């Protein structure tokens, strides 16, 4: 085997050679003083590199950084995602509402929904008087909105106005919750 | 120890303590990489801080399929390149043949430093190597630091620098040979 080239020597020292090549190099080194000396120099240099004084951060460096970090700002795409999610949600709720209000398919759901409402009403009625008063106010508010909706949309719904309004109200409430949670999660980075 | 990817995920969710753990884990690795490459402690300290702040802001762009360490080094490397650009220090392209000291004004080394005893202790030799490192062209020095001081693999360096592994190996080899030439009489 001819003498080793410098690249081979470094590869040998850094254990980058295949087993076969490594064996060849070893066997050559055993018989070639010149290569052994040259390898020794390279090895010495690489070992000395490890002794170079390290750069280190001063004490309190981490705190310095932590005091400078700011909440992650929203990127336009995140706003877009949050808006799109809310828009889709409201659209789906609205579509379901109108579909259920015009078709017979809605009857079963409406009855169940009404039963649930009745239970809720009873629970409310038997609860604190304040809640009764509050409910009455909401009821009046629903009636009013219902009248406005009826006149504007000319819809003759199968289900009662209260339920319709409650659905819309619930839909909007959920959409707002979704937006707020998305904002918390992706936009403000849930900064504490 | 908690995995980097988990810490990143928690940080994105708003857990700043996780980011603190990331900084603690990598602060000395990054300052050593930047410092050994640009050979200036104060600047290295400033850059390291900027690298972590930059990383924090860009955490949501980190792809957990890849290594976080490599990603962080990439930010640091880009910071160094910006610094060289601002200082108008030329950096070499992949195909450009490298000449000794190209694009870099080496610091003056006192003449008595050049006359070294025959056999230096490793630590002493380390000091000499530190000086000789300053004589390397910046781009070669950066790759050498990554490989032999920060102990990154050739593959990792290739990812950080967006270079083929073969090119990285070749450049690191050139750096070692230049370094050896500078130190020849001291080894």
């Amino acid at each position: 085997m001819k003498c080793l080239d410098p690249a081979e020597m470094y590869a040998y020292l850094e254990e980058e050679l295949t087993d076969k090549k490594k064996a060849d190099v070893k066997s050559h080194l055993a018989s070639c003083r010149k290569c052994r000396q040259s390898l020794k120099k390279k090895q010495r240099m690489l070992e000395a590199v490890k002794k170079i004084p390290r750069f280190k951060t001063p004490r309190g460096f981490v705190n310095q950084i932590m005091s400078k970090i700011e909440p992650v700002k929203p990127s336009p795409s995140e706003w877009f995602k949050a808006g799109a999610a809310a828009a889709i949600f409201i659209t789906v709720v609205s579509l379901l509402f109108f579909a259920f209000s015009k078709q017979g398919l809605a009857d079963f759901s409406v009855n169940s929904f009404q039963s649930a409402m009745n239970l809720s009403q009873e629970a409310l009625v038997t609860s604190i008087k304040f809640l009764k008063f509050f409910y009455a106010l909401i009821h009046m508010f629903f009636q009013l909105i219902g009248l406005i909706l009826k006149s504007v949309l000319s819809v003759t719904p199968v289900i009662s106005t209260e339920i319709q309004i409650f659905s819309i109200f619930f839909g909007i409430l959920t959409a707002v919750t979704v937006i707020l949670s998305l904002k918390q999660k992706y936009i403000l980075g849930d900064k504490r | 120890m908690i995995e980097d990817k988990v810490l990143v995920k928690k940080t994105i969710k708003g857990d700043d303590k996780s980011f603190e753990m990331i900084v603690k884990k990598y602060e000395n690795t990054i300052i050593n990489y930047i410092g050994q490459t640009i050979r200036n402690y104060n600047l290295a300290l400033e850059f390291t801080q900027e690298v972590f702040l930059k990383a924090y802001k860009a955490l949501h762009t980190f792809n957990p399929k890849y290594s976080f360490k490599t990603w962080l080094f990439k930010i640091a490397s880009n910071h160094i390149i910006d610094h060289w650009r601002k200082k108008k220090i030329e950096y070499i392209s992949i195909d450009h043949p490298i000449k000794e000291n190209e694009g870099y004004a080496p610091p003056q080394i006192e003449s008595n430093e050049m006359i070294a005893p025959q056999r230096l202790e490793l630590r002493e030799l380390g000091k000499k190597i530190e000086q000789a490192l300053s004589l390397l062209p910046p781009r070669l020095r950066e790759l050498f630091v990554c490989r032999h001081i920060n102990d990154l693999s050739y593959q990792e360096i290739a990812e950080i620098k967006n270079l083929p592994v073969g090119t990285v190996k070749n450049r690191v080899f050139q750096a070692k040979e230049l370094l050896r030439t500078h130190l020849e009489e001291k080894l």
Side-chain angles (χ1 to χ4, degrees):
Chain A
M1 187 185 178
K2 61 174 184 175
C3 277
L4 304 171
D5 65 46
E8 270 178 319
M9 290 188 192
Y10 286 123
Y12 175 75
L13 290 171
E14 293 172 42
E15 302 197 343
E16 294 269 322
L17 294 177
T18 59
D19 288 347
K20 164 87 176 62
K21 190 74 189 160
K22 199 173 165 182
D24 290 347
V25 170
K26 258 187 182 172
S27 123
H28 177 76
L29 284 170
S31 61
C32 180
R33 190 162 171 263
K34 197 180 151 198
C35 281
R36 269 204 311 275
Q37 278 181 339
S38 179
L39 185 89
K40 184 86 184 161
K41 280 185 179 179
K42 289 175 178 58
Q43 188 175 20
R44 200 169 146 70
M45 184 184 82
L46 292 181
E47 278 170 9
V49 165
K50 304 287 176 204
K51 303 287 176 191
I52 291 178
R54 302 272 153 162
F55 283 75
K56 282 185 178 172
T57 54
R59 271 190 188 180
F61 180 76
V62 178
N63 291 339
Q64 257 180 41
I65 289 185
M66 295 314 290
S67 68
K68 286 184 181 174
I69 59 172
E70 293 165 8
V72 181
K73 297 281 180 211
S75 70
S77 64
E78 279 164 351
W79 279 112
F80 179 77
K81 275 183 207 166
I88 289 168
F89 188 83
I90 291 172
T91 309
V92 169
V93 168
S94 307
L95 285 173
L96 281 173
F97 167 72
F98 285 110
F100 273 72
S101 65
K102 286 187 174 176
Q103 291 171 17
L105 176 72
D107 289 350
F108 174 75
S109 309
V110 168
N111 289 337
S112 312
F113 201 38
Q114 276 177 328
S115 306
M117 270 301 290
N118 289 337
L119 276 173
S120 308
Q121 279 177 14
E122 280 170 28
L124 280 171
V125 168
T126 52
S127 67
I128 312 163
K129 283 183 180 176
F130 171 75
L131 282 178
K132 276 171 93 179
F133 173 71
F134 186 65
Y135 177 76
L137 275 181
I138 292 174
H139 184 82
M140 279 169 66
F141 175 72
F142 285 167
Q143 292 285 1
L144 184 69
I145 302 288
L147 282 170
I148 295 167
L149 267 181
K150 265 185 195 172
S151 59
V152 173
L153 301 172
S154 308
V155 171
T156 317
V158 174
I159 54 177
S160 72
T161 313
E162 289 97 326
I163 295 168
Q164 291 172 40
I165 303 304
F166 182 79
S167 304
I168 292 176
F169 183 72
F170 181 75
I172 291 170
L173 199 71
T174 316
V176 169
T177 313
V178 167
I179 292 170
L180 287 178
S181 61
L182 280 172
K183 197 179 169 193
Q184 183 84 350
K185 186 177 177 184
Y186 293 108
I187 296 164
L188 293 180
D190 203 14
K191 183 112 176 77
R192 279 179 280 258
Chain B
M1 184 172 280
I2 307 172
E3 246 190 286
D4 290 347
K5 283 162 196 174
V6 176
L7 291 174
V8 170
K9 209 173 170 184
K10 282 185 170 181
T11 307
I12 291 171
K13 284 184 179 172
D15 179 14
D16 288 344
K17 279 277 164 204
S18 295
F19 189 68
E20 201 174 314
M21 287 168 81
I22 292 176
V23 179
K24 274 182 188 161
K25 186 174 175 185
Y26 288 108
E27 57 178 328
N28 285 322
T29 311
I30 295 297
I31 198 173
N32 195 38
Y33 161 57
I34 298 175
Q36 301 288 2
T37 304
I38 65 171
R39 312 294 311 158
N40 180 323
Y41 180 75
N42 289 333
L43 266 185
L45 192 62
E46 186 188 321
F47 288 1
T48 304
Q49 199 171 88
E50 286 165 11
V51 164
F52 281 111
L53 294 176
K54 229 184 226 183
Y56 180 81
K57 282 182 185 165
L59 270 187
H60 63 282
T61 67
F62 167 68
N63 185 344
K65 276 185 201 167
Y66 302 103
S67 146
F68 177 75
K69 184 174 144 192
T70 307
W71 185 75
L72 198 60
F73 265 85
K74 212 167 196 167
I75 296 177
S77 172
N78 288 338
H79 216 81
I80 293 170
I81 293 170
D82 286 346
H83 164 69
W84 284 337
R85 277 190 183 134
K86 275 180 205 160
K87 283 195 79 181
K88 296 191 173 143
I89 291 174
E90 280 180 39
Y91 53 94
I92 46 179
S93 71
I94 297 169
D95 304 317
H96 191 76
I98 295 157
K99 292 172 197 157
E100 202 173 327
N101 298 335
E102 186 175 28
Y104 182 67
Q108 292 296 310
I109 296 176
E110 288 175 29
S111 58
N112 62 340
E113 296 282 350
M114 303 297 276
I115 308 155
Q118 284 296 308
R119 303 284 295 174
L120 287 166
E121 288 300 316
L122 274 183
R123 192 172 285 277
E124 278 298 302
L125 188 58
K127 282 181 190 168
K128 301 290 168 196
I129 288 180
E130 209 187 345
Q131 290 169 344
L133 256 181
S134 302
L135 301 171
L136 293 181
R139 279 301 183 108
L140 288 190
R141 187 167 61 237
E142 186 195 4
L143 299 183
F144 178 83
V145 166
C146 281
R147 175 69 187 132
H148 290 289
I149 297 179
N150 281 93
D151 291 320
L152 297 178
S153 69
Y154 287 112
Q155 183 62 44
E156 284 175 317
I157 303 170
E159 281 169 28
I160 293 164
K161 301 302 296 176
N162 277 333
L163 290 172
V165 177
T167 306
V168 173
K169 280 187 177 177
N170 188 272
R171 295 260 180 95
V172 174
F173 170 70
Q174 289 181 64
K176 280 183 285 204
E177 280 300 273
L178 278 177
L179 208 58
R180 195 181 54 78
T181 313
H182 288 307
L183 295 164
E184 189 60 57
E185 63 206 68
K186 295 159 194 155
L187 289 168

